[in-house]
Amino acid sequence: MSAAGDTATAVDFCGIALAHPVINASGTFDAIAARRAFGDALIERFPFAAFVSKTVTVAPRQGNPPPRLWELPAGLMNSIGLPNKGLEGYLALDLPELAALPVPLIVNVMGFSRDEVATLVSAFAGRDEVAALELNVSCPNVETGMVMGADPGEIGRLMSAVRPLTDKPLIVKLTPNASDVPAVALAAEREGADAVSLINTIRGMALDPRTGEPWLGGTTGGVSGSAVRAIALAQVRSVSDAVDIPIIGMGGVSRGRHAGELIAAGATLVAVGTESFRDPSAGARIASELALAVDAPHHSGWGPRGR
Ligand code: RRO
């Protein structure tokens, strides 16, 4: 059975109709490159119910120097450093291609100040191709030095600055590198966030065995994959206890069962990240596995957490 288009798996997310609850994590699936590699087969069997694009910043960025990846026994560590064409380049070159995908488009943006985030939100506010915006708040605010997503006060001020700029759903992508993630989620909700997504990667480091120096060009990196799944589950559960807005849960999902567990912990949607690097069609498989588990007469009891 295919999950796509099956009314039993359809889900409403902030007013956006989705065929099933599985989407991609930002930056883990290059739909433009995949279209070139797989042609129309990608469009006919698109693996996700919505597409979240890689983070866009106001100015173009080269990203971090290599090496950018380090494989872990149960995951991956990245230090990609936000390479992207910048807002103008995205609007001119990427948006037309991404708008042709057969699913709603969510654009992930990051600013290094509240003004930059406001510029990005305003730029997409009137674009009909864009269904929702995801605010990546994992970077330090250049004005305060604080990581925006680590501090409830920073998030509250950010949201009150950008909320009036658009009617589109605003999703705040929470960082797990914060002492009180539910408090950050609650501050976002109070100032008008429509949803939160979590977890982003967890800060880690690897040393070059020959030199003892940091392996990654960016010194530290973000850990993802199976290694973080239990942490994601705990954080989704604690954020679900704190807020009433929908949650996109992610972190180490490679099976329908893992998606079902995040939904049981309070997520409305589940995002697949690292697993898509191994298998670009993983999203479709996970959605089908999830649908089979939920539909089975003797399923193991996963179900939404009453939201
Ligand atoms: O580009 C990156 O290095 C990156 C980003 Br913006 C992010 O949000 N999470 C991550 O693990 N890497």
Side-chain angles (χ1 to χ4, degrees):
M1 182 182 68
S2 161
D6 181 337
T7 50
T9 62
V11 45
D12 179 280
F13 175 76
C14 299
I16 308 164
L18 302 181
H20 59 77
V22 178
I23 66 171
N24 67 300
S26 173
T28 61
F29 189 93
D30 184 339
I32 295 173
R35 178 78 204 262
R36 281 193 204 107
F38 302 116
D40 287 345
L42 180 81
I43 303 300
E44 284 151 22
R45 291 189 293 281
F46 198 72
F48 306 108
F51 180 71
V52 186
S53 63
K54 169 84 184 144
T55 304
V56 185
T57 54
V58 173
R61 289 175 57 89
Q62 293 293 324
N64 285 337
R68 290 175 167 184
L69 294 175
W70 175 266
E71 193 176 357
L72 294 162
L76 187 66
M77 184 156 49
N78 85 82
S79 175
I80 309 295
L82 292 153
N84 76 101
K85 301 181 177 90
L87 177 58
E88 275 183 32
Y90 182 89
L91 290 172
L93 301 170
D94 288 359
L95 187 56
E97 290 204 56
L98 296 176
L101 296 176
V103 296
L105 175 63
I106 299 173
V107 178
N108 181 300
V109 299
M110 183 191 270
F112 294 91
S113 64
R114 283 196 289 281
D115 279 354
E116 279 199 1
V117 183
T119 298
L120 290 156
V121 170
S122 300
F124 290 107
R127 304 301 295 238
D128 290 341
E129 310 94 308
V130 177
L133 293 170
E134 183 174 60
L135 310 181
N136 187 344
V137 292
S138 322
C139 69
N141 179 338
V142 285
E143 286 136 10
T144 65
M146 297 199 68
V147 173
M148 294 193 210
D151 180 65
E154 280 272 342
I155 281 291
R157 287 186 287 280
L158 175 69
M159 284 308 302
S160 56
V162 301
R163 179 67 280 179
L165 303 176
T166 182
D167 295 331
K168 291 193 193 296
L170 291 177
I171 306 159
V172 175
K173 174 96 175 252
L174 300 169
T175 171
N177 305 307
S179 57
D180 191 346
V181 179
V184 176
L186 187 59
E189 179 184 47
R190 286 198 173 131
E191 296 299 335
D194 297 283
V196 289
S197 52
L198 70 152
I199 61 174
N200 205 326
T201 52
I202 299 174
R203 193 177 309 111
M205 190 165 79
L207 299 182
D208 184 332
R210 292 163 306 179
T211 64
E213 293 300 314
W215 171 265
L216 293 167
T219 307
T220 59
V223 178
S224 63
S226 299
V228 310
R229 196 167 64 247
I231 298 164
L233 199 58
Q235 293 209 0
V236 166
R237 173 78 189 216
S238 61
V239 167
S240 170
D241 286 339
V243 301
D244 291 321
I245 50 178
I247 295 170
I248 305 173
M250 70 196 90
V253 171
S254 63
R255 297 268 187 277
R257 179 167 57 86
H258 307 151
E261 287 174 356
L262 283 169
I263 290 169
T268 298
L269 302 184
V270 172
V272 174
T274 306
E275 180 69 1
S276 295
F277 292 120
R278 197 186 63 75
D279 171 10
S281 64
R285 173 179 56 75
I286 290 165
S288 293
E289 290 171 357
L290 177 67
L292 287 171
V294 171
D295 287 343
H298 303 294
H299 76 78
S300 50
W302 304 314
R305 231 192 136 193
R307 78 178 55 243

